[in-house]
């Protein structure tokens, strides 16, 4: 029987995927739950701000593994997680998503003989050039219990030799957060603060290394922004990776001086969801935002060649376009003309995934 749980998070999307854990654990009095934050994301507006505005209890263990190379980050994470495991002796470790913190924690669980559960397991982009794809495959290779957000997750895991008895189709904990905070999202004043009218602007985010880590990628992005912003105001909360690259390549002035572009720091959760919900469309390379737009039925143009979340394409409001300006402009026209595809919400994206996860844990 499982009594003691340790959940490991490290990045903005990880935090957003576990907001309901504390509340649901309290419905199971025999369960004790602790949270470890690796510090992979460390800027206030990428981490602490979410704990504060979402009313989350501070992590029980806080590491500072955000600086240095990926290897030294992961080494620091693994040592810190080892210390927490030695002290707390969890029966089960829960890891989330596909970031470096996810893999670091999974490796520690494996080496220390702790059972491992992976929330959002089984997703595959089939693109090994993405660090996240390697993190997903390596984590799932050593996971014992799989919590899955969409049917393809089950299909991929079965193809990789996992068994039905290990896999739980629980739905999407990121949508749990949206459902839980909807009333507060509606109270955000962000549109008034930015002087925006609903459905008149596009919301943009961009942070994949494949898109923003080269001058060529950033120049293509600037070209797309320049064309799009002739017709549509663009709101662009800039991820720290992307901001650093714009500055490194001497391109920051070009974005900063575009008058139809609202450039801002990474937004808080409630403001950002309010911006999604009132946008004409969203243009992004984020993983989670493909899902949030599908839930809100807001057109999402994803500037990537592939996605690990194909249900957002098959059922949802997402379209994959790569960095192809003509295809992007054609998709934007179809949104303005009202001919953009209609969509549905994928199964179990209903606000109750966290409940299902803890019911499953009770049966382990
Ligand atoms: C990471 C994840 C990515 C996820 C993204 C969510 C990996 C391999 N990548 O990418 O899957 O989509 O988080 O946002 O785990 N930085 C700051 N402050 C911060 C965080 C980062 O300034 O709070 C800067 C630092 O210069 C850092 C760089 O951004 O070196 C990249 O951060 P890192 O966590 O390595 O990768 P992300 O691009 O954030
Ligand atoms: N997000 C946010 N503020 C922003 C940009 C994103 O709150 O300025 C939220 C977004 O709504 C989603 C999560 O952060 O819940 C996604 O994180 P990100 O795009 O950084 O990571 P990915 O999902 O690509 O791993």
């Amino acid at each position: 029987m499982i009594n003691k749980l340790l959940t490991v998070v490290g990045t903005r999307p990880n935090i957003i995927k576990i907001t309901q854990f504390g509340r649901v654990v309290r419905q199971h009095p025999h369960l004790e739950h602790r949270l470890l934050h690796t510090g992979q994301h460390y800027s206030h507006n990428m981490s602490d701000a979410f704990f504060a505005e979402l009313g989350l209890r501070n992590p029980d263990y806080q590491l500072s593994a955000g600086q240095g190379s990926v290897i030294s980050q992961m080494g620091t994470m693994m040592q810190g997680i080892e210390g927490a495991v030695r002290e707390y002796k969890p029966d089960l470790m829960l890891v989330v998503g596909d970031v470096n913190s996810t893999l670091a924690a999974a490796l520690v669980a494996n080496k220390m003989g702790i059972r491992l559960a992976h929330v959002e397991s089984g997703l595959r982009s089939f693109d090994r050039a993405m660090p996240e794809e390697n993190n997903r495959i390596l984590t799932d290779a050593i996971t014992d219990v799989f919590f899955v957000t969409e049917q393809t997750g089950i299909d991929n895991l079965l193809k990789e030799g996992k068994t039905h008895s290990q896999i739980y189709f629980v739905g999407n904990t990121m949508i749990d957060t949206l459902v839980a905070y909807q009333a507060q999202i509606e109270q955000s004043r962000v549109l008034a603060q930015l002087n925006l009218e609903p459905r008149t602007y596009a919301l943009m985010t961009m942070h994949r290394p494949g898109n923003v880590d080269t001058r060529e990628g950033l120049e293509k992005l600037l070209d797309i922004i320049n064309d799009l912003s002739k017709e549509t105001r663009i709101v662009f909360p800039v991820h720290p990776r992307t901001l650093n690259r714009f500055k490194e390549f001497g391109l920051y002035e070009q974005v900063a001086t575009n008058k139809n572009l609202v450039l801002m720091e990474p937004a808080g959760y409630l403001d950002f969801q309010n911006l999604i919900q009132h946008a004409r469309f969203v243009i992004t390379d984020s993983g989670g935002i493909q899902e949030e737009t599908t839930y809100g039925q807001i057109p999402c143009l994803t500037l990537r060649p592939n996605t690990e979340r194909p249900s957002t394409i098959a059922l949802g409001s997402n379209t994959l376009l790569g960095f192809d300006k003509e295809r992007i402009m054609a998709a934007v026209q179809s949104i303005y003309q009202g001919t953009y595809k209609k969509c549905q919400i994928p199964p179990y994206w209903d606000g109750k995934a966290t409940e299902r996860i803890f019911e499953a844990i009770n049966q382990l």
Side-chain angles (χ1 to χ4, degrees), residues 9-172:
V9 296
T11 63
R12 170 168 74 186
N14 289 169
I15 299 163
I16 291 167
K17 287 168 194 165
I18 57 99
T19 66
Q20 301 307 295
F21 281 26
R23 177 182 65 78
V24 176
V25 163
R26 285 195 291 280
Q27 297 163 8
H28 301 277
H30 68 284
L31 287 181
E32 189 189 337
H33 180 242
R34 290 193 189 174
L35 183 67
L36 183 149
H37 189 323
T38 65
Q40 179 177 340
H41 282 178
Y42 51 86
S43 300
H44 180 76
N45 57 18
M46 295 296 286
S47 179
D48 291 359
F50 295 98
F51 282 85
E53 73 169 330
L54 302 179
L56 305 179
R57 198 162 59 84
N58 284 337
D60 302 283
Y61 303 95
Q62 178 67 60
L63 312 179
S64 305
Q67 308 284 352
S69 72
V70 171
I71 306 303
S72 71
Q73 282 185 22
M74 288 187 65
T76 308
M77 287 174 198
M78 289 178 68
Q79 284 181 338
I81 298 166
E82 178 189 10
V85 169
R86 284 201 193 289
E87 184 204 90
Y88 179 49
K89 301 185 177 53
D91 302 314
L92 183 75
M93 191 187 295
L94 283 145
V95 296
V96 189
D98 54 18
V99 302
N100 291 336
S101 302
T102 313
L103 177 60
L107 289 169
V108 175
N110 179 265
K111 296 292 173 200
M112 297 183 77
I114 307 293
R115 282 171 95 183
L116 179 67
H118 183 197
V119 176
E120 198 187 272
S121 55
L123 296 182
R124 298 287 180 267
S125 67
F126 303 101
D127 177 358
R128 293 295 288 252
M130 289 181 73
E132 294 84 358
E133 181 70 355
N134 295 298
N135 290 342
R136 289 180 203 114
I137 290 170
L138 295 169
T139 300
D140 284 340
I142 52 177
T143 291
D144 302 295
V145 185
F146 299 89
F147 295 123
V148 174
T149 54
E150 62 166 75
Q151 180 62 42
T152 64
I154 303 177
D155 302 341
N156 293 330
L157 290 169
L158 292 175
K159 274 187 213 135
E160 290 171 20
K162 310 301 176 192
T163 58
H164 276 288
S165 63
Q166 297 173 281
I167 303 172
Y168 297 84
F169 191 176
V170 293
N172 195 325

